[in-house]
Amino acid sequence: MSSSTADVAASTVAESTTLMFRYMPRKFVVKDMLKQLEWHVSRTHIDFVYVPWQRDAANNKGYAFVNFVDAQSAQAAFTSMQGTVWHSDPRMREIRIVPAAVQG
C-alpha cells in the first residue's frame, strides 16, 4: 500500500467505528479474531465481531467486520494492526483494514 493510500485510509478510519479486516486466515473463527484484536485494543472497546462463513465449506470468507464503541478505538486498532501479520497464519499475510461500507 502506498503512503498516500495509507494516509487516505487512516483519515477515513478516523471517522469510522466499523472496520473490515481483510486477508484473514480461512480457519479463523470469532474467538480467534477477538484474540488477535485483544493484543492491540481492550475487549471493552469492541461492540461486535462478525466473521462470515462459506456456506458449503469449513472456512470463513477471508474477512471480518468489527464494530468499536467509538472512532478513537477503531483508529487505535487501525494504527496498531494495519500491515502487521496475522498471528498463527502460516502464510504470513498482512492485515489490511478499511472502513466498512456500512457503519454501526
XYZ file of all heavy atoms in Angstrom:
828
model
N 0.861 -1.165 0.000
C 0.000 0.000 0.000
C 0.906 1.226 0.000
O 1.803 1.343 0.813
C -0.901 -0.015 1.235
C -1.862 1.145 1.282
S -2.939 1.178 2.753
C -3.857 -0.312 2.602
N 0.673 2.161 -0.919
C 1.480 3.368 -0.970
C 1.160 4.264 0.208
O 0.110 4.154 0.833
C 1.228 4.113 -2.290
O -0.068 4.678 -2.274
N 2.082 5.179 0.508
C 1.863 6.034 1.676
C 0.660 6.935 1.492
O -0.063 7.208 2.438
C 3.115 6.855 1.983
O 3.368 7.757 0.933
N 0.386 7.409 0.268
C -0.794 8.256 0.054
C -2.079 7.455 0.235
O -3.055 7.946 0.795
C -0.764 8.913 -1.321
O -0.800 7.935 -2.331
N -2.094 6.215 -0.205
C -3.257 5.350 0.000
C -3.448 5.077 1.486
O -4.560 5.100 1.993
C -3.097 4.021 -0.762
O -2.867 4.308 -2.137
C -4.319 3.150 -0.616
N -2.353 4.829 2.184
C -2.421 4.589 3.629
C -2.915 5.829 4.357
O -3.694 5.727 5.303
C -1.057 4.164 4.158
N -2.479 7.011 3.921
C -2.923 8.258 4.550
C -4.422 8.463 4.364
O -5.115 8.876 5.290
C -2.163 9.463 3.979
C -0.694 9.451 4.362
O -0.326 8.753 5.338
O 0.087 10.148 3.688
N -4.933 8.184 3.167
C -6.366 8.313 2.904
C -7.140 7.324 3.758
O -8.143 7.669 4.376
C -6.679 8.107 1.399
C -8.170 7.985 1.163
C -6.099 9.247 0.583
N -6.659 6.079 3.830
C -7.331 5.067 4.652
C -7.337 5.487 6.113
O -8.360 5.389 6.792
C -6.652 3.706 4.488
N -6.219 5.992 6.604
C -6.133 6.405 8.008
C -7.066 7.568 8.300
O -7.729 7.600 9.335
C -4.696 6.770 8.356
N -7.168 8.530 7.379
C -8.052 9.677 7.624
C -9.514 9.251 7.571
O -10.339 9.757 8.324
C -7.782 10.801 6.623
O -8.128 10.402 5.319
N -9.856 8.301 6.712
C -11.221 7.798 6.636
C -11.557 6.980 7.880
O -12.652 7.069 8.415
C -11.411 6.941 5.373
O -11.004 7.694 4.243
C -12.855 6.534 5.198
N -10.607 6.199 8.358
C -10.809 5.393 9.553
C -11.050 6.286 10.759
O -11.814 5.938 11.654
C -9.604 4.450 9.798
C -9.646 3.837 11.179
C -9.576 3.359 8.743
N -10.430 7.456 10.780
C -10.574 8.368 11.918
C -12.028 8.729 12.185
O -12.380 9.106 13.304
C -9.746 9.626 11.688
N -12.887 8.596 11.188
C -14.307 8.926 11.323
C -15.181 7.685 11.436
O -16.403 7.790 11.506
C -14.745 9.747 10.108
C -13.900 10.988 9.890
C -14.060 11.566 8.496
O -14.900 11.070 7.728
O -13.327 12.502 8.173
N -14.583 6.512 11.475
C -15.328 5.247 11.416
C -15.339 4.534 12.757
O -14.411 4.654 13.542
C -14.684 4.321 10.391
O -14.642 4.920 9.124
N -16.399 3.759 12.972
C -16.437 2.858 14.127
C -16.456 1.398 13.686
O -16.145 0.516 14.475
C -17.670 3.120 15.020
O -18.851 2.962 14.245
C -17.619 4.499 15.642
N -16.818 1.137 12.429
C -16.868 -0.238 11.920
C -15.789 -0.417 10.861
O -15.725 0.338 9.890
C -18.248 -0.563 11.307
O -19.258 -0.253 12.268
C -18.339 -2.030 10.934
N -14.935 -1.421 11.070
C -13.830 -1.685 10.159
C -13.946 -3.081 9.569
O -14.446 -4.002 10.217
C -12.491 -1.575 10.902
C -12.191 -0.257 11.592
C -10.854 -0.341 12.322
C -12.202 0.899 10.608
N -13.463 -3.215 8.348
C -13.383 -4.514 7.683
C -11.920 -4.947 7.695
O -11.037 -4.207 7.251
C -13.866 -4.408 6.245
C -13.808 -5.689 5.472
S -14.334 -5.409 3.764
C -14.489 -7.080 3.199
N -11.671 -6.133 8.229
C -10.333 -6.706 8.284
C -10.231 -7.733 7.167
O -11.030 -8.672 7.116
C -10.103 -7.362 9.643
C -9.985 -6.377 10.770
C -11.101 -5.722 11.258
C -8.747 -6.094 11.323
C -10.998 -4.805 12.285
C -8.631 -5.183 12.351
C -9.751 -4.530 12.837
N -9.245 -7.553 6.278
C -9.128 -8.400 5.094
C -7.919 -9.330 5.180
O -7.026 -9.116 5.973
C -9.023 -7.511 3.863
C -10.265 -6.615 3.746
C -10.186 -5.672 2.594
N -10.171 -6.440 1.365
C -9.620 -5.996 0.238
N -9.067 -4.817 0.185
N -9.642 -6.743 -0.841
N -7.918 -10.360 4.325
C -6.851 -11.362 4.228
C -6.707 -12.174 5.511
O -5.619 -12.598 5.876
C -5.512 -10.723 3.823
C -5.626 -9.921 2.548
C -5.463 -8.545 2.548
C -5.947 -10.547 1.350
C -5.599 -7.810 1.391
C -6.084 -9.816 0.181
C -5.905 -8.455 0.207
O -6.044 -7.719 -0.942
N -7.825 -12.402 6.180
C -7.846 -13.159 7.421
C -7.627 -14.647 7.115
O -8.134 -15.161 6.109
C -9.209 -12.969 8.092
C -9.314 -13.590 9.450
S -10.824 -13.108 10.285
C -12.043 -13.881 9.264
N -6.880 -15.356 7.971
C -6.719 -16.804 7.762
C -8.081 -17.494 7.702
O -8.982 -17.191 8.480
C -5.933 -17.244 9.001
C -5.185 -16.021 9.415
C -6.106 -14.878 9.110
N -8.247 -18.400 6.760
C -9.551 -19.012 6.478
C -10.095 -19.879 7.606
O -11.281 -20.168 7.645
C -9.486 -19.838 5.188
C -9.273 -19.004 3.939
C -10.436 -18.041 3.750
N -10.292 -17.248 2.555
C -11.134 -17.290 1.543
N -12.191 -18.069 1.588
N -10.930 -16.537 0.498
N -9.272 -20.296 8.528
C -9.742 -21.130 9.642
C -10.103 -20.296 10.871
O -10.578 -20.839 11.860
C -8.694 -22.181 10.007
C -8.418 -23.166 8.888
C -9.648 -23.973 8.535
C -9.355 -24.949 7.412
N -10.548 -25.610 6.930
N -9.884 -18.992 10.836
C -10.207 -18.142 11.981
C -11.705 -18.150 12.255
O -12.521 -18.095 11.337
C -9.793 -16.694 11.700
C -8.466 -16.291 12.280
C -7.399 -17.164 12.335
C -8.285 -15.004 12.760
C -6.178 -16.776 12.855
C -7.068 -14.605 13.277
C -6.014 -15.487 13.334
N -12.042 -18.201 13.538
C -13.420 -18.041 13.999
C -13.458 -16.766 14.844
O -12.431 -16.119 15.058
C -13.895 -19.276 14.808
C -13.954 -20.513 13.922
C -13.017 -19.515 16.013
N -14.625 -16.392 15.342
C -14.762 -15.158 16.118
C -13.784 -15.138 17.287
O -13.146 -14.115 17.564
C -16.217 -14.964 16.602
C -16.314 -13.832 17.598
C -17.141 -14.713 15.419
N -13.634 -16.261 17.970
C -12.712 -16.342 19.115
C -11.289 -15.978 18.698
O -10.589 -15.251 19.412
C -12.759 -17.744 19.714
C -11.843 -17.944 20.908
C -11.980 -19.344 21.473
C -11.098 -20.253 20.668
N -10.962 -21.600 21.186
N -10.845 -16.452 17.539
C -9.505 -16.139 17.042
C -9.379 -14.650 16.716
O -8.350 -14.025 16.991
C -9.182 -16.957 15.788
C -9.183 -18.451 16.054
O -8.639 -18.869 17.090
O -9.746 -19.179 15.223
N -10.431 -14.102 16.127
C -10.415 -12.677 15.791
C -10.340 -11.828 17.050
O -9.586 -10.853 17.111
C -11.654 -12.326 14.964
C -11.660 -10.925 14.438
S -10.304 -10.670 13.275
C -10.355 -8.901 13.107
N -11.114 -12.197 18.064
C -11.071 -11.456 19.331
C -9.688 -11.538 19.975
O -9.173 -10.538 20.489
C -12.125 -11.990 20.297
C -13.545 -11.517 20.037
C -14.530 -12.319 20.874
C -13.682 -10.028 20.324
N -9.075 -12.694 19.907
C -7.730 -12.863 20.461
C -6.741 -11.948 19.736
O -5.915 -11.288 20.364
C -7.310 -14.331 20.331
C -6.035 -14.692 21.016
C -5.817 -16.197 20.865
C -4.699 -16.696 21.720
N -4.487 -18.141 21.512
N -6.840 -11.908 18.420
C -5.977 -11.037 17.622
C -6.193 -9.570 18.014
O -5.240 -8.825 18.216
C -6.286 -11.226 16.134
C -5.459 -10.402 15.198
C -4.121 -11.025 14.868
O -4.017 -12.242 14.766
N -3.105 -10.211 14.703
N -7.440 -9.171 18.139
C -7.771 -7.790 18.491
C -7.275 -7.424 19.884
O -6.791 -6.311 20.105
C -9.281 -7.573 18.407
C -9.887 -7.556 17.015
C -11.390 -7.772 17.088
C -9.553 -6.249 16.305
N -7.406 -8.353 20.831
C -7.041 -8.066 22.220
C -5.552 -7.822 22.414
O -5.157 -7.265 23.436
C -7.524 -9.187 23.139
C -9.019 -9.155 23.335
C -9.541 -10.305 24.180
O -8.915 -11.387 24.185
O -10.585 -10.105 24.829
N -4.719 -8.202 21.463
C -3.298 -7.868 21.539
C -3.067 -6.394 21.227
O -1.977 -5.877 21.439
C -2.484 -8.745 20.589
C -2.352 -10.155 21.064
C -2.312 -10.579 22.363
C -2.262 -11.326 20.264
N -2.198 -11.951 22.407
C -2.154 -12.431 21.132
C -2.253 -11.553 18.888
C -2.037 -13.742 20.689
C -2.130 -12.852 18.443
C -2.033 -13.930 19.332
N -4.110 -5.724 20.714
C -3.952 -4.328 20.275
C -4.898 -3.346 20.960
O -4.548 -2.178 21.131
C -4.137 -4.257 18.757
C -3.164 -5.122 18.018
N -1.885 -4.726 17.727
C -3.286 -6.391 17.540
C -1.246 -5.693 17.088
N -2.077 -6.721 16.972
N -6.095 -3.797 21.287
C -7.081 -2.937 21.961
C -7.818 -3.753 23.022
O -7.908 -4.972 22.914
C -8.119 -2.320 20.983
C -7.465 -1.378 19.997
C -8.893 -3.387 20.253
N -8.354 -3.072 23.999
C -9.110 -3.755 25.050
C -10.432 -4.276 24.492
O -11.078 -3.624 23.665
C -9.385 -2.783 26.194
O -10.311 -3.339 27.096
N -10.829 -5.435 24.966
C -12.096 -6.026 24.537
C -13.283 -5.117 24.871
O -14.311 -5.156 24.198
C -12.281 -7.386 25.191
C -13.440 -8.158 24.627
C -13.526 -9.520 25.259
N -13.821 -10.475 24.211
C -13.819 -11.771 24.375
N -13.508 -12.296 25.525
N -14.116 -12.571 23.377
N -13.141 -4.284 25.895
C -14.222 -3.369 26.272
C -14.467 -2.310 25.208
O -15.499 -1.643 25.229
C -13.931 -2.677 27.623
O -12.724 -1.916 27.503
C -13.816 -3.691 28.743
N -13.543 -2.154 24.262
C -13.694 -1.185 23.178
C -14.344 -1.792 21.940
O -14.513 -1.101 20.933
C -12.348 -0.576 22.808
C -11.757 0.234 23.915
N -10.440 0.630 23.918
C -12.292 0.724 25.062
C -10.198 1.330 25.007
N -11.314 1.392 25.719
N -14.685 -3.078 22.024
C -15.258 -3.794 20.877
C -16.724 -4.109 21.163
O -17.045 -4.717 22.175
C -14.479 -5.097 20.612
C -13.009 -4.786 20.328
C -15.106 -5.880 19.476
C -12.096 -5.992 20.406
N -17.604 -3.675 20.251
C -19.038 -3.929 20.352
C -19.458 -5.259 19.734
O -20.296 -5.967 20.260
C -19.819 -2.867 19.557
C -20.223 -1.686 20.360
O -20.118 -1.723 21.586
O -20.661 -0.711 19.738
N -18.882 -5.551 18.562
C -19.431 -6.600 17.712
C -18.342 -7.113 16.787
O -17.546 -6.329 16.268
C -20.565 -5.986 16.893
C -21.239 -6.920 15.943
C -22.178 -7.829 16.397
C -20.950 -6.884 14.591
C -22.816 -8.694 15.510
C -21.582 -7.738 13.704
C -22.519 -8.643 14.164
N -18.298 -8.432 16.594
C -17.387 -9.052 15.625
C -18.205 -10.018 14.772
O -18.943 -10.853 15.294
C -16.249 -9.821 16.325
C -15.378 -10.549 15.306
C -15.413 -8.896 17.183
N -18.069 -9.885 13.456
C -18.775 -10.770 12.534
C -17.767 -11.380 11.566
O -17.044 -10.656 10.870
C -19.842 -9.993 11.763
C -20.519 -10.806 10.682
C -21.200 -11.977 10.975
C -20.480 -10.383 9.356
C -21.820 -12.719 9.983
C -21.103 -11.120 8.347
C -21.759 -12.285 8.672
O -22.373 -13.015 7.695
N -17.714 -12.700 11.541
C -16.837 -13.439 10.638
C -17.734 -14.278 9.729
O -18.234 -15.324 10.151
C -15.854 -14.347 11.416
C -14.988 -15.154 10.454
C -14.997 -13.521 12.364
N -17.989 -13.826 8.503
C -18.865 -14.601 7.604
C -18.211 -15.906 7.147
O -17.013 -15.951 6.917
C -19.108 -13.664 6.428
C -18.095 -12.594 6.515
C -17.532 -12.584 7.901
N -19.041 -16.946 7.024
C -18.560 -18.266 6.642
C -19.088 -18.681 5.280
O -20.189 -18.315 4.889
C -18.995 -19.301 7.686
C -18.082 -19.249 8.860
C -18.121 -18.347 9.876
C -16.950 -20.063 9.085
N -17.080 -18.564 10.732
C -16.339 -19.619 10.274
C -16.378 -21.129 8.409
C -15.198 -20.199 10.798
C -15.251 -21.719 8.932
C -14.665 -21.250 10.114
N -18.271 -19.487 4.581
C -18.696 -20.091 3.323
C -19.830 -21.059 3.631
O -19.755 -21.808 4.604
C -17.541 -20.871 2.685
C -16.332 -20.055 2.362
C -16.484 -19.257 1.083
O -17.464 -19.379 0.355
N -15.521 -18.413 0.812
N -20.848 -21.062 2.820
C -21.991 -21.959 3.061
C -21.621 -23.434 2.966
O -22.068 -24.232 3.762
C -23.116 -21.659 2.076
C -23.827 -20.379 2.362
C -25.037 -20.249 1.439
N -25.678 -18.977 1.650
C -26.708 -18.790 2.455
N -27.221 -19.812 3.104
N -27.230 -17.597 2.600
N -20.852 -23.798 1.980
C -20.567 -25.216 1.737
C -19.125 -25.601 2.039
O -18.622 -26.571 1.489
C -20.884 -25.553 0.284
C -22.349 -25.320 -0.040
O -23.184 -25.503 0.867
O -22.662 -24.937 -1.177
N -18.468 -24.833 2.906
C -17.074 -25.140 3.232
C -16.842 -24.911 4.722
O -17.629 -24.258 5.386
C -16.138 -24.251 2.410
N -15.777 -25.467 5.207
C -15.464 -25.335 6.629
C -14.463 -24.207 6.856
O -13.472 -24.377 7.549
C -14.924 -26.656 7.153
N -14.730 -23.070 6.227
C -13.834 -21.938 6.439
C -14.586 -20.616 6.266
O -15.688 -20.575 5.725
C -12.630 -22.004 5.510
C -12.988 -22.070 4.049
O -14.148 -22.081 3.676
N -11.976 -22.123 3.211
N -13.942 -19.556 6.747
C -14.556 -18.236 6.608
C -14.265 -17.674 5.223
O -13.560 -18.289 4.431
C -14.067 -17.298 7.726
C -12.600 -16.969 7.605
O -12.118 -16.524 6.577
N -11.852 -17.202 8.682
N -14.803 -16.502 4.941
C -14.641 -15.889 3.625
C -13.381 -15.043 3.498
O -13.145 -14.421 2.474
C -15.866 -15.039 3.298
C -17.116 -15.873 3.076
C -18.270 -15.019 2.625
C -19.490 -15.869 2.322
N -20.582 -15.069 1.748
N -12.584 -15.007 4.556
C -11.311 -14.289 4.481
C -11.373 -12.850 4.958
O -10.412 -12.104 4.787
N -12.486 -12.470 5.546
C -12.594 -11.118 6.087
C -13.524 -11.122 7.290
O -14.250 -12.089 7.525
C -13.086 -10.124 5.037
C -14.423 -10.456 4.421
C -15.604 -10.027 5.002
C -14.509 -11.212 3.252
C -16.841 -10.330 4.433
C -15.730 -11.517 2.679
C -16.893 -11.072 3.273
O -18.110 -11.375 2.721
N -13.463 -10.037 8.059
C -14.320 -9.898 9.234
C -14.694 -8.434 9.401
O -13.979 -7.540 8.928
C -13.599 -10.379 10.487
N -15.820 -8.203 10.055
C -16.248 -6.848 10.398
C -16.197 -6.697 11.906
O -16.642 -7.585 12.630
C -17.676 -6.589 9.907
C -17.784 -6.595 8.420
C -18.204 -7.735 7.749
C -17.451 -5.470 7.680
C -18.297 -7.747 6.364
C -17.542 -5.479 6.294
C -17.962 -6.616 5.641
N -15.644 -5.584 12.352
C -15.552 -5.303 13.781
C -16.097 -3.912 14.022
O -15.694 -2.948 13.352
C -14.094 -5.395 14.285
C -14.014 -5.070 15.768
C -13.509 -6.775 13.994
N -17.024 -3.813 14.959
C -17.542 -2.511 15.357
C -16.953 -2.159 16.722
O -16.967 -2.964 17.642
C -19.067 -2.503 15.436
C -19.590 -1.096 15.595
O -19.459 -0.280 14.688
N -20.145 -0.786 16.751
N -16.439 -0.953 16.822
C -15.839 -0.453 18.053
C -16.798 0.525 18.721
O -17.674 1.093 18.064
C -14.502 0.231 17.743
C -13.473 -0.727 17.200
C -13.394 -0.978 15.838
C -12.604 -1.389 18.050
C -12.457 -1.871 15.330
C -11.674 -2.284 17.553
C -11.597 -2.526 16.192
N -16.616 0.744 20.017
C -17.528 1.610 20.765
C -17.411 3.072 20.351
O -18.354 3.842 20.517
C -17.344 1.481 22.291
C -17.692 0.078 22.756
C -15.938 1.857 22.716
N -16.259 3.455 19.798
C -16.080 4.831 19.333
C -15.002 4.874 18.252
O -14.264 3.912 18.048
C -15.742 5.782 20.495
C -14.539 5.334 21.298
O -13.558 4.812 20.715
O -14.570 5.504 22.537
N -14.937 5.993 17.557
C -13.985 6.149 16.458
C -12.536 6.118 16.950
O -11.647 5.649 16.238
C -14.263 7.447 15.696
N -12.300 6.577 18.165
C -10.934 6.563 18.709
C -10.433 5.128 18.891
O -9.258 4.837 18.613
C -10.869 7.318 20.050
C -11.110 8.800 19.942
C -12.595 9.173 19.823
O -13.486 8.346 20.080
N -12.868 10.391 19.401
N -11.295 4.236 19.334
C -10.911 2.829 19.490
C -10.639 2.183 18.137
O -9.687 1.415 17.982
C -12.008 2.055 20.224
O -12.209 2.581 21.510
N -11.466 2.498 17.149
C -11.253 1.977 15.791
C -9.933 2.496 15.237
O -9.160 1.747 14.628
C -12.416 2.376 14.886
N -9.658 3.763 15.452
C -8.400 4.365 14.981
C -7.207 3.698 15.666
O -6.198 3.415 15.021
C -8.391 5.866 15.252
C -7.122 6.564 14.805
C -6.936 6.570 13.310
O -7.884 6.821 12.571
N -5.742 6.294 12.840
N -7.320 3.422 16.959
C -6.228 2.766 17.691
C -5.958 1.373 17.120
O -4.802 0.985 16.934
C -6.559 2.688 19.177
N -7.024 0.619 16.832
C -6.861 -0.713 16.248
C -6.223 -0.609 14.864
O -5.300 -1.367 14.543
C -8.205 -1.422 16.163
N -6.695 0.324 14.065
C -6.141 0.513 12.716
C -4.649 0.837 12.799
O -3.827 0.213 12.124
C -6.888 1.631 11.987
C -6.308 1.960 10.647
C -6.661 1.239 9.530
C -5.387 2.982 10.502
C -6.114 1.524 8.278
C -4.836 3.287 9.270
C -5.200 2.552 8.157
N -4.302 1.802 13.623
C -2.909 2.249 13.733
C -2.006 1.120 14.212
O -0.892 0.951 13.711
C -2.815 3.448 14.703
O -3.646 4.499 14.200
C -1.397 3.946 14.845
N -2.488 0.333 15.146
C -1.692 -0.741 15.729
C -1.599 -1.980 14.840
O -0.581 -2.667 14.837
C -2.293 -1.117 17.081
O -1.572 -2.149 17.674
N -2.658 -2.258 14.056
C -2.735 -3.534 13.348
C -2.479 -3.469 11.843
O -2.035 -4.466 11.258
C -4.110 -4.162 13.589
C -4.367 -4.507 15.039
S -6.038 -5.132 15.342
C -5.932 -6.760 14.601
N -2.767 -2.360 11.203
C -2.645 -2.258 9.746
C -1.231 -2.628 9.296
O -0.246 -2.083 9.793
C -2.982 -0.832 9.290
C -2.790 -0.580 7.813
C -3.845 -1.214 6.928
O -4.664 -2.015 7.344
N -3.825 -0.841 5.686
N -1.140 -3.606 8.393
C 0.138 -4.006 7.825
C 0.919 -5.011 8.656
O 1.955 -5.487 8.218
N 0.425 -5.350 9.851
C 1.091 -6.380 10.636
C 0.634 -7.748 10.127
O -0.260 -7.846 9.295
C 0.785 -6.237 12.146
O -0.614 -6.406 12.362
C 1.241 -4.883 12.673
N 1.225 -8.785 10.645
C 0.925 -10.144 10.185
C -0.086 -10.791 11.126
O -0.024 -10.613 12.340
C 2.224 -10.977 10.130
C 1.939 -12.425 9.770
C 3.195 -10.366 9.135
N -1.029 -11.537 10.537
C -1.979 -12.307 11.341
C -1.208 -13.319 12.171
O -0.367 -14.050 11.648
C -2.972 -13.048 10.450
C -3.938 -12.172 9.747
C -3.867 -11.776 8.448
C -5.124 -11.597 10.282
N -4.939 -10.987 8.149
C -5.734 -10.851 9.260
C -5.734 -11.634 11.535
C -6.911 -10.157 9.435
C -6.918 -10.939 11.723
C -7.496 -10.212 10.677
N -1.495 -13.396 13.461
C -0.860 -14.397 14.321
C -1.371 -15.775 13.926
O -2.508 -15.940 13.522
C -1.180 -14.115 15.792
C -0.569 -12.843 16.265
N 0.752 -12.741 16.627
C -1.083 -11.605 16.409
C 1.011 -11.509 16.979
N -0.083 -10.790 16.856
N -0.527 -16.735 14.031
C -0.816 -18.138 13.709
C -1.269 -18.345 12.265
O -2.038 -19.247 11.971
C -1.829 -18.744 14.697
O -3.102 -18.164 14.558
N -0.766 -17.495 11.363
C -1.044 -17.679 9.934
C 0.228 -18.166 9.259
O 1.189 -17.408 9.129
C -1.500 -16.368 9.292
C -1.770 -16.504 7.804
O -1.910 -17.649 7.314
O -1.844 -15.474 7.117
N 0.263 -19.432 8.833
C 1.484 -19.953 8.213
C 1.858 -19.225 6.917
O 3.018 -19.224 6.540
C 1.157 -21.427 7.958
C -0.324 -21.529 8.023
C -0.806 -20.404 8.887
N 0.900 -18.564 6.288
C 1.180 -17.843 5.036
C 1.723 -16.444 5.286
O 2.141 -15.770 4.351
C -0.070 -17.784 4.175
C -0.482 -19.185 3.705
C -1.714 -19.176 2.871
N -1.550 -18.371 1.680
C -2.547 -18.002 0.889
N -3.779 -18.384 1.180
N -2.328 -17.269 -0.163
N 1.701 -15.997 6.568
C 2.265 -14.703 6.951
C 1.648 -13.533 6.169
O 2.335 -12.613 5.741
C 3.792 -14.699 6.775
C 4.517 -15.786 7.555
S 4.548 -15.478 9.314
C 5.622 -14.088 9.396
N 0.321 -13.566 5.997
C -0.368 -12.484 5.284
C -0.472 -11.244 6.160
O -0.660 -11.339 7.370
C -1.768 -12.920 4.870
C -1.757 -13.907 3.719
C -3.132 -14.403 3.477
N -3.394 -15.352 4.558
C -4.270 -16.316 4.499
N -5.024 -16.458 3.450
N -4.435 -17.157 5.499
N -0.382 -10.104 5.521
C -0.530 -8.837 6.235
C -1.997 -8.512 6.450
O -2.835 -8.763 5.585
C 0.107 -7.694 5.444
C 1.600 -7.710 5.451
C 2.188 -6.483 4.782
O 1.430 -5.554 4.424
O 3.409 -6.452 4.625
N -2.284 -7.937 7.597
C -3.631 -7.464 7.895
C -3.878 -6.199 7.091
O -3.057 -5.290 7.086
C -3.789 -7.165 9.398
C -3.566 -8.433 10.215
C -5.146 -6.543 9.685
C -3.480 -8.191 11.714
N -4.995 -6.164 6.408
C -5.427 -4.968 5.683
C -6.758 -4.538 6.271
O -7.681 -5.357 6.397
C -5.580 -5.237 4.188
C -4.290 -5.551 3.511
C -3.437 -4.316 3.447
N -2.192 -4.630 2.768
C -1.064 -3.983 2.981
N -1.029 -3.009 3.852
N 0.004 -4.317 2.323
N -6.854 -3.276 6.627
C -8.040 -2.760 7.285
C -8.604 -1.587 6.491
O -7.834 -0.692 6.108
C -7.723 -2.298 8.725
C -7.057 -3.419 9.512
C -8.989 -1.825 9.428
C -6.467 -2.977 10.844
N -9.905 -1.611 6.259
C -10.589 -0.495 5.587
C -11.870 -0.211 6.338
O -12.422 -1.087 7.008
C -10.895 -0.824 4.104
C -9.617 -1.015 3.299
C -11.782 -2.050 3.987
N -12.358 1.014 6.262
C -13.663 1.304 6.870
C -14.740 0.472 6.185
O -14.706 0.276 4.966
C -13.875 2.791 6.592
C -12.528 3.327 6.293
C -11.762 2.205 5.656
N -15.671 -0.042 6.946
C -16.786 -0.804 6.375
C -17.705 0.146 5.629
O -17.852 1.319 6.002
C -17.539 -1.536 7.474
N -18.339 -0.357 4.569
C -19.260 0.472 3.786
C -20.448 0.925 4.625
O -20.962 2.030 4.459
C -19.736 -0.296 2.560
N -20.886 0.061 5.531
C -21.983 0.394 6.433
C -21.416 0.546 7.830
O -20.718 -0.351 8.311
C -23.096 -0.693 6.410
C -24.177 -0.387 7.410
C -23.657 -0.838 5.008
N -21.678 1.660 8.462
C -21.143 1.930 9.791
C -22.188 1.619 10.863
O -23.368 1.848 10.660
C -20.718 3.399 9.910
C -19.517 3.742 9.039
C -18.260 3.037 9.516
O -17.875 3.154 10.665
N -17.622 2.287 8.619
N -21.688 1.150 12.030
C -22.586 0.923 13.164
C -23.021 -0.436 13.236
O -23.492 -1.287 13.482
